[in-house]
PDB file of all heavy atoms in Angstrom:
ATOM      1  N   GLU A   1     -42.569 104.564 -73.434  1.00  0.00           N
ATOM      2  CA  GLU A   1     -43.877 104.298 -74.025  1.00  0.00           C
ATOM      3  C   GLU A   1     -43.847 103.138 -75.018  1.00  0.00           C
ATOM      4  O   GLU A   1     -44.875 102.537 -75.316  1.00  0.00           O
ATOM      5  CB  GLU A   1     -44.407 105.548 -74.746  1.00  0.00           C
ATOM      6  CG  GLU A   1     -44.590 106.760 -73.862  1.00  0.00           C
ATOM      7  CD  GLU A   1     -43.284 107.544 -73.650  1.00  0.00           C
ATOM      8  OE1 GLU A   1     -42.316 107.377 -74.411  1.00  0.00           O
ATOM      9  OE2 GLU A   1     -43.242 108.334 -72.694  1.00  0.00           O
ATOM     10  N   THR A   2     -42.682 102.833 -75.581  1.00  0.00           N
ATOM     11  CA  THR A   2     -42.561 101.708 -76.506  1.00  0.00           C
ATOM     12  C   THR A   2     -42.081 100.492 -75.727  1.00  0.00           C
ATOM     13  O   THR A   2     -41.574 100.617 -74.625  1.00  0.00           O
ATOM     14  CB  THR A   2     -41.575 102.029 -77.645  1.00  0.00           C
ATOM     15  OG1 THR A   2     -40.286 102.256 -77.086  1.00  0.00           O
ATOM     16  CG2 THR A   2     -42.035 103.245 -78.424  1.00  0.00           C
ATOM     17  N   ARG A   3     -42.239  99.314 -76.313  1.00  0.00           N
ATOM     18  CA  ARG A   3     -41.803  98.112 -75.620  1.00  0.00           C
ATOM     19  C   ARG A   3     -41.624  96.958 -76.587  1.00  0.00           C
ATOM     20  O   ARG A   3     -42.127  96.979 -77.709  1.00  0.00           O
ATOM     21  CB  ARG A   3     -42.819  97.719 -74.549  1.00  0.00           C
ATOM     22  CG  ARG A   3     -44.121  97.230 -75.149  1.00  0.00           C
ATOM     23  CD  ARG A   3     -45.057  96.716 -74.085  1.00  0.00           C
ATOM     24  NE  ARG A   3     -46.229  96.143 -74.682  1.00  0.00           N
ATOM     25  CZ  ARG A   3     -47.455  96.608 -74.514  1.00  0.00           C
ATOM     26  NH1 ARG A   3     -47.664  97.658 -73.769  1.00  0.00           N
ATOM     27  NH2 ARG A   3     -48.472  96.013 -75.089  1.00  0.00           N
ATOM     28  N   TRP A   4     -40.925  95.945 -76.110  1.00  0.00           N
ATOM     29  CA  TRP A   4     -40.865  94.658 -76.784  1.00  0.00           C
ATOM     30  C   TRP A   4     -41.811  93.742 -76.028  1.00  0.00           C
ATOM     31  O   TRP A   4     -41.892  93.774 -74.805  1.00  0.00           O
ATOM     32  CB  TRP A   4     -39.436  94.111 -76.746  1.00  0.00           C
ATOM     33  CG  TRP A   4     -39.365  92.728 -77.313  1.00  0.00           C
ATOM     34  CD1 TRP A   4     -39.203  92.391 -78.620  1.00  0.00           C
ATOM     35  CD2 TRP A   4     -39.469  91.505 -76.583  1.00  0.00           C
ATOM     36  NE1 TRP A   4     -39.218  91.016 -78.757  1.00  0.00           N
ATOM     37  CE2 TRP A   4     -39.381  90.461 -77.510  1.00  0.00           C
ATOM     38  CE3 TRP A   4     -39.654  91.196 -75.244  1.00  0.00           C
ATOM     39  CZ2 TRP A   4     -39.442  89.126 -77.149  1.00  0.00           C
ATOM     40  CZ3 TRP A   4     -39.728  89.858 -74.882  1.00  0.00           C
ATOM     41  CH2 TRP A   4     -39.616  88.844 -75.830  1.00  0.00           C
ATOM     42  N   ASP A   5     -42.545  92.916 -76.743  1.00  0.00           N
ATOM     43  CA  ASP A   5     -43.551  92.048 -76.153  1.00  0.00           C
ATOM     44  C   ASP A   5     -43.407  90.655 -76.760  1.00  0.00           C
ATOM     45  O   ASP A   5     -43.373  90.506 -77.981  1.00  0.00           O
ATOM     46  CB  ASP A   5     -44.934  92.638 -76.472  1.00  0.00           C
ATOM     47  CG  ASP A   5     -46.060  91.979 -75.724  1.00  0.00           C
ATOM     48  OD1 ASP A   5     -46.077  90.736 -75.619  1.00  0.00           O
ATOM     49  OD2 ASP A   5     -46.938  92.712 -75.253  1.00  0.00           O
ATOM     50  N   SER A   6     -43.342  89.624 -75.910  1.00  0.00           N
ATOM     51  CA  SER A   6     -43.188  88.255 -76.409  1.00  0.00           C
ATOM     52  C   SER A   6     -44.424  87.775 -77.164  1.00  0.00           C
ATOM     53  O   SER A   6     -44.333  86.831 -77.956  1.00  0.00           O
ATOM     54  CB  SER A   6     -42.889  87.300 -75.253  1.00  0.00           C
ATOM     55  OG  SER A   6     -44.010  87.178 -74.394  1.00  0.00           O
ATOM     56  N   GLU A   7     -45.567  88.372 -76.911  1.00  0.00           N
ATOM     57  CA  GLU A   7     -46.840  88.040 -77.550  1.00  0.00           C
ATOM     58  C   GLU A   7     -47.326  86.618 -77.254  1.00  0.00           C
ATOM     59  O   GLU A   7     -48.311  86.176 -77.817  1.00  0.00           O
ATOM     60  CB  GLU A   7     -46.789  88.289 -79.059  1.00  0.00           C
ATOM     61  CG  GLU A   7     -46.565  89.747 -79.390  1.00  0.00           C
ATOM     62  CD  GLU A   7     -46.581  90.041 -80.877  1.00  0.00           C
ATOM     63  OE1 GLU A   7     -46.689  89.109 -81.696  1.00  0.00           O
ATOM     64  OE2 GLU A   7     -46.483  91.228 -81.213  1.00  0.00           O
ATOM     65  N   VAL A   8     -46.609  85.899 -76.403  1.00  0.00           N
ATOM     66  CA  VAL A   8     -47.029  84.573 -75.938  1.00  0.00           C
ATOM     67  C   VAL A   8     -46.772  84.519 -74.430  1.00  0.00           C
ATOM     68  O   VAL A   8     -46.024  85.335 -73.885  1.00  0.00           O
ATOM     69  CB  VAL A   8     -46.287  83.425 -76.654  1.00  0.00           C
ATOM     70  CG1 VAL A   8     -46.607  83.422 -78.145  1.00  0.00           C
ATOM     71  CG2 VAL A   8     -44.790  83.518 -76.434  1.00  0.00           C
ATOM     72  N   ALA A   9     -47.371  83.550 -73.770  1.00  0.00           N
ATOM     73  CA  ALA A   9     -47.206  83.419 -72.323  1.00  0.00           C
ATOM     74  C   ALA A   9     -45.737  83.275 -71.947  1.00  0.00           C
ATOM     75  O   ALA A   9     -44.954  82.606 -72.643  1.00  0.00           O
ATOM     76  CB  ALA A   9     -47.992  82.217 -71.819  1.00  0.00           C
ATOM     77  N   LEU A  10     -45.365  83.907 -70.842  1.00  0.00           N
ATOM     78  CA  LEU A  10     -43.998  83.879 -70.338  1.00  0.00           C
ATOM     79  C   LEU A  10     -43.561  82.460 -70.015  1.00  0.00           C
ATOM     80  O   LEU A  10     -44.290  81.704 -69.380  1.00  0.00           O
ATOM     81  CB  LEU A  10     -43.921  84.737 -69.064  1.00  0.00           C
ATOM     82  CG  LEU A  10     -42.613  84.716 -68.287  1.00  0.00           C
ATOM     83  CD1 LEU A  10     -41.508  85.369 -69.106  1.00  0.00           C
ATOM     84  CD2 LEU A  10     -42.774  85.428 -66.971  1.00  0.00           C
ATOM     85  N   THR A  11     -42.372  82.092 -70.465  1.00  0.00           N
ATOM     86  CA  THR A  11     -41.762  80.806 -70.122  1.00  0.00           C
ATOM     87  C   THR A  11     -40.340  81.066 -69.648  1.00  0.00           C
ATOM     88  O   THR A  11     -39.741  82.099 -69.966  1.00  0.00           O
ATOM     89  CB  THR A  11     -41.724  79.842 -71.330  1.00  0.00           C
ATOM     90  OG1 THR A  11     -40.892  80.398 -72.346  1.00  0.00           O
ATOM     91  CG2 THR A  11     -43.113  79.580 -71.878  1.00  0.00           C
ATOM     92  N   GLY A  12     -39.783  80.135 -68.896  1.00  0.00           N
ATOM     93  CA  GLY A  12     -38.447  80.291 -68.337  1.00  0.00           C
ATOM     94  C   GLY A  12     -37.317  80.229 -69.339  1.00  0.00           C
ATOM     95  O   GLY A  12     -36.191  80.610 -69.033  1.00  0.00           O
ATOM     96  N   ASP A  13     -37.592  79.769 -70.555  1.00  0.00           N
ATOM     97  CA  ASP A  13     -36.510  79.665 -71.543  1.00  0.00           C
ATOM     98  C   ASP A  13     -36.443  80.867 -72.487  1.00  0.00           C
ATOM     99  O   ASP A  13     -35.654  80.880 -73.428  1.00  0.00           O
ATOM    100  CB  ASP A  13     -36.621  78.370 -72.336  1.00  0.00           C
ATOM    101  CG  ASP A  13     -37.925  78.271 -73.122  1.00  0.00           C
ATOM    102  OD1 ASP A  13     -38.836  79.075 -72.881  1.00  0.00           O
ATOM    103  OD2 ASP A  13     -38.026  77.370 -73.970  1.00  0.00           O
ATOM    104  N   MET A  14     -37.232  81.890 -72.231  1.00  0.00           N
ATOM    105  CA  MET A  14     -37.189  83.098 -73.074  1.00  0.00           C
ATOM    106  C   MET A  14     -35.939  83.917 -72.774  1.00  0.00           C
ATOM    107  O   MET A  14     -35.401  83.864 -71.674  1.00  0.00           O
ATOM    108  CB  MET A  14     -38.421  83.968 -72.821  1.00  0.00           C
ATOM    109  CG  MET A  14     -39.685  83.392 -73.329  1.00  0.00           C
ATOM    110  SD  MET A  14     -41.050  84.530 -72.988  1.00  0.00           S
ATOM    111  CE  MET A  14     -42.308  83.782 -73.979  1.00  0.00           C
ATOM    112  N   TRP A  15     -35.485  84.660 -73.781  1.00  0.00           N
ATOM    113  CA  TRP A  15     -34.396  85.609 -73.588  1.00  0.00           C
ATOM    114  C   TRP A  15     -34.495  86.705 -74.620  1.00  0.00           C
ATOM    115  O   TRP A  15     -35.133  86.543 -75.648  1.00  0.00           O
ATOM    116  CB  TRP A  15     -33.033  84.932 -73.620  1.00  0.00           C
ATOM    117  CG  TRP A  15     -32.761  84.106 -74.844  1.00  0.00           C
ATOM    118  CD1 TRP A  15     -33.042  82.781 -75.004  1.00  0.00           C
ATOM    119  CD2 TRP A  15     -32.160  84.537 -76.068  1.00  0.00           C
ATOM    120  NE1 TRP A  15     -32.662  82.364 -76.264  1.00  0.00           N
ATOM    121  CE2 TRP A  15     -32.109  83.429 -76.936  1.00  0.00           C
ATOM    122  CE3 TRP A  15     -31.657  85.749 -76.514  1.00  0.00           C
ATOM    123  CZ2 TRP A  15     -31.575  83.503 -78.208  1.00  0.00           C
ATOM    124  CZ3 TRP A  15     -31.122  85.814 -77.793  1.00  0.00           C
ATOM    125  CH2 TRP A  15     -31.089  84.687 -78.620  1.00  0.00           C
ATOM    126  N   TRP A  16     -33.867  87.827 -74.307  1.00  0.00           N
ATOM    127  CA  TRP A  16     -33.828  89.001 -75.189  1.00  0.00           C
ATOM    128  C   TRP A  16     -32.391  89.471 -75.198  1.00  0.00           C
ATOM    129  O   TRP A  16     -31.753  89.576 -74.155  1.00  0.00           O
ATOM    130  CB  TRP A  16     -34.771  90.062 -74.640  1.00  0.00           C
ATOM    131  CG  TRP A  16     -34.873  91.320 -75.435  1.00  0.00           C
ATOM    132  CD1 TRP A  16     -35.748  91.564 -76.457  1.00  0.00           C
ATOM    133  CD2 TRP A  16     -34.118  92.527 -75.273  1.00  0.00           C
ATOM    134  NE1 TRP A  16     -35.569  92.842 -76.938  1.00  0.00           N
ATOM    135  CE2 TRP A  16     -34.571  93.453 -76.222  1.00  0.00           C
ATOM    136  CE3 TRP A  16     -33.083  92.906 -74.417  1.00  0.00           C
ATOM    137  CZ2 TRP A  16     -34.034  94.729 -76.342  1.00  0.00           C
ATOM    138  CZ3 TRP A  16     -32.551  94.170 -74.525  1.00  0.00           C
ATOM    139  CH2 TRP A  16     -33.031  95.062 -75.484  1.00  0.00           C
ATOM    140  N   GLN A  17     -31.861  89.744 -76.375  1.00  0.00           N
ATOM    141  CA  GLN A  17     -30.436  90.066 -76.508  1.00  0.00           C
ATOM    142  C   GLN A  17     -30.234  91.426 -77.156  1.00  0.00           C
ATOM    143  O   GLN A  17     -30.947  91.791 -78.086  1.00  0.00           O
ATOM    144  CB  GLN A  17     -29.762  88.988 -77.354  1.00  0.00           C
ATOM    145  CG  GLN A  17     -28.282  89.191 -77.537  1.00  0.00           C
ATOM    146  CD  GLN A  17     -27.656  88.023 -78.264  1.00  0.00           C
ATOM    147  OE1 GLN A  17     -27.799  86.882 -77.835  1.00  0.00           O
ATOM    148  NE2 GLN A  17     -26.977  88.298 -79.366  1.00  0.00           N
ATOM    149  N   LEU A  18     -29.234  92.136 -76.657  1.00  0.00           N
ATOM    150  CA  LEU A  18     -28.850  93.441 -77.182  1.00  0.00           C
ATOM    151  C   LEU A  18     -27.403  93.372 -77.631  1.00  0.00           C
ATOM    152  O   LEU A  18     -26.535  92.917 -76.883  1.00  0.00           O
ATOM    153  CB  LEU A  18     -29.014  94.501 -76.083  1.00  0.00           C
ATOM    154  CG  LEU A  18     -28.528  95.911 -76.392  1.00  0.00           C
ATOM    155  CD1 LEU A  18     -29.314  96.515 -77.549  1.00  0.00           C
ATOM    156  CD2 LEU A  18     -28.669  96.780 -75.146  1.00  0.00           C
ATOM    157  N   ASP A  19     -27.120  93.800 -78.868  1.00  0.00           N
ATOM    158  CA  ASP A  19     -25.763  93.880 -79.407  1.00  0.00           C
ATOM    159  C   ASP A  19     -25.356  95.347 -79.383  1.00  0.00           C
ATOM    160  O   ASP A  19     -25.946  96.173 -80.085  1.00  0.00           O
ATOM    161  CB  ASP A  19     -25.741  93.324 -80.830  1.00  0.00           C
ATOM    162  CG  ASP A  19     -24.359  93.351 -81.472  1.00  0.00           C
ATOM    163  OD1 ASP A  19     -23.422  93.967 -80.912  1.00  0.00           O
ATOM    164  OD2 ASP A  19     -24.222  92.762 -82.562  1.00  0.00           O
ATOM    165  N   LEU A  20     -24.343  95.679 -78.583  1.00  0.00           N
ATOM    166  CA  LEU A  20     -23.873  97.056 -78.487  1.00  0.00           C
ATOM    167  C   LEU A  20     -22.986  97.460 -79.669  1.00  0.00           C
ATOM    168  O   LEU A  20     -22.595  98.612 -79.774  1.00  0.00           O
ATOM    169  CB  LEU A  20     -23.109  97.253 -77.168  1.00  0.00           C
ATOM    170  CG  LEU A  20     -23.928  97.020 -75.898  1.00  0.00           C
ATOM    171  CD1 LEU A  20     -23.026  97.095 -74.672  1.00  0.00           C
ATOM    172  CD2 LEU A  20     -25.071  98.010 -75.796  1.00  0.00           C
ATOM    173  N   GLY A  21     -22.658  96.501 -80.542  1.00  0.00           N
ATOM    174  CA  GLY A  21     -21.870  96.809 -81.730  1.00  0.00           C
ATOM    175  C   GLY A  21     -20.368  96.650 -81.542  1.00  0.00           C
ATOM    176  O   GLY A  21     -19.639  96.415 -82.489  1.00  0.00           O
ATOM    177  N   ARG A  22     -19.904  96.787 -80.313  1.00  0.00           N
ATOM    178  CA  ARG A  22     -18.491  96.584 -79.963  1.00  0.00           C
ATOM    179  C   ARG A  22     -18.424  96.399 -78.450  1.00  0.00           C
ATOM    180  O   ARG A  22     -19.388  96.685 -77.740  1.00  0.00           O
ATOM    181  CB  ARG A  22     -17.640  97.763 -80.398  1.00  0.00           C
ATOM    182  CG  ARG A  22     -18.003  99.032 -79.681  1.00  0.00           C
ATOM    183  CD  ARG A  22     -17.142 100.191 -80.092  1.00  0.00           C
ATOM    184  NE  ARG A  22     -17.517 101.338 -79.273  1.00  0.00           N
ATOM    185  CZ  ARG A  22     -17.368 102.579 -79.625  1.00  0.00           C
ATOM    186  NH1 ARG A  22     -16.848 102.863 -80.788  1.00  0.00           N
ATOM    187  NH2 ARG A  22     -17.727 103.551 -78.832  1.00  0.00           N
ATOM    188  N   ILE A  23     -17.315  95.953 -77.964  1.00  0.00           N
ATOM    189  CA  ILE A  23     -17.160  95.798 -76.521  1.00  0.00           C
ATOM    190  C   ILE A  23     -17.180  97.171 -75.872  1.00  0.00           C
ATOM    191  O   ILE A  23     -16.447  98.071 -76.276  1.00  0.00           O
ATOM    192  CB  ILE A  23     -15.880  95.024 -76.174  1.00  0.00           C
ATOM    193  CG1 ILE A  23     -16.000  93.580 -76.675  1.00  0.00           C
ATOM    194  CG2 ILE A  23     -15.618  95.065 -74.672  1.00  0.00           C
ATOM    195  CD1 ILE A  23     -14.775  92.728 -76.446  1.00  0.00           C
ATOM    196  N   GLU A  24     -18.066  97.322 -74.899  1.00  0.00           N
ATOM    197  CA  GLU A  24     -18.223  98.581 -74.174  1.00  0.00           C
ATOM    198  C   GLU A  24     -17.956  98.340 -72.686  1.00  0.00           C
ATOM    199  O   GLU A  24     -18.159  97.240 -72.186  1.00  0.00           O
ATOM    200  CB  GLU A  24     -19.653  99.120 -74.336  1.00  0.00           C
ATOM    201  CG  GLU A  24     -20.047  99.465 -75.737  1.00  0.00           C
ATOM    202  CD  GLU A  24     -19.486 100.798 -76.218  1.00  0.00           C
ATOM    203  OE1 GLU A  24     -18.902 101.547 -75.407  1.00  0.00           O
ATOM    204  OE2 GLU A  24     -19.637 101.085 -77.412  1.00  0.00           O
ATOM    205  N   THR A  25     -17.510  99.384 -72.014  1.00  0.00           N
ATOM    206  CA  THR A  25     -17.347  99.351 -70.561  1.00  0.00           C
ATOM    207  C   THR A  25     -18.468 100.173 -69.951  1.00  0.00           C
ATOM    208  O   THR A  25     -18.745 101.285 -70.404  1.00  0.00           O
ATOM    209  CB  THR A  25     -15.975  99.936 -70.154  1.00  0.00           C
ATOM    210  OG1 THR A  25     -14.943  99.170 -70.792  1.00  0.00           O
ATOM    211  CG2 THR A  25     -15.782  99.884 -68.654  1.00  0.00           C
ATOM    212  N   PHE A  26     -19.126  99.634 -68.941  1.00  0.00           N
ATOM    213  CA  PHE A  26     -20.261 100.320 -68.328  1.00  0.00           C
ATOM    214  C   PHE A  26     -20.378  99.928 -66.861  1.00  0.00           C
ATOM    215  O   PHE A  26     -19.797  98.941 -66.412  1.00  0.00           O
ATOM    216  CB  PHE A  26     -21.556 100.005 -69.082  1.00  0.00           C
ATOM    217  CG  PHE A  26     -21.808  98.533 -69.273  1.00  0.00           C
ATOM    218  CD1 PHE A  26     -22.539  97.814 -68.350  1.00  0.00           C
ATOM    219  CD2 PHE A  26     -21.295  97.875 -70.384  1.00  0.00           C
ATOM    220  CE1 PHE A  26     -22.762  96.460 -68.528  1.00  0.00           C
ATOM    221  CE2 PHE A  26     -21.522  96.522 -70.572  1.00  0.00           C
ATOM    222  CZ  PHE A  26     -22.255  95.813 -69.637  1.00  0.00           C
ATOM    223  N   LYS A  27     -21.149 100.740 -66.113  1.00  0.00           N
ATOM    224  CA  LYS A  27     -21.353 100.497 -64.681  1.00  0.00           C
ATOM    225  C   LYS A  27     -22.499  99.540 -64.417  1.00  0.00           C
ATOM    226  O   LYS A  27     -22.383  98.604 -63.647  1.00  0.00           O
ATOM    227  CB  LYS A  27     -21.642 101.810 -63.948  1.00  0.00           C
ATOM    228  CG  LYS A  27     -20.455 102.639 -63.653  1.00  0.00           C
ATOM    229  CD  LYS A  27     -20.879 103.820 -62.794  1.00  0.00           C
ATOM    230  CE  LYS A  27     -19.686 104.672 -62.449  1.00  0.00           C
ATOM    231  NZ  LYS A  27     -20.062 105.811 -61.612  1.00  0.00           N
TER     232      LYS A  27
END
């Protein structure tokens, strides 16, 4: 129900980053 929103028109140079806090192994 929650989200992140750029609040401006989509462009190809946008990015969103997540820091897991340490190196994690995942599938």
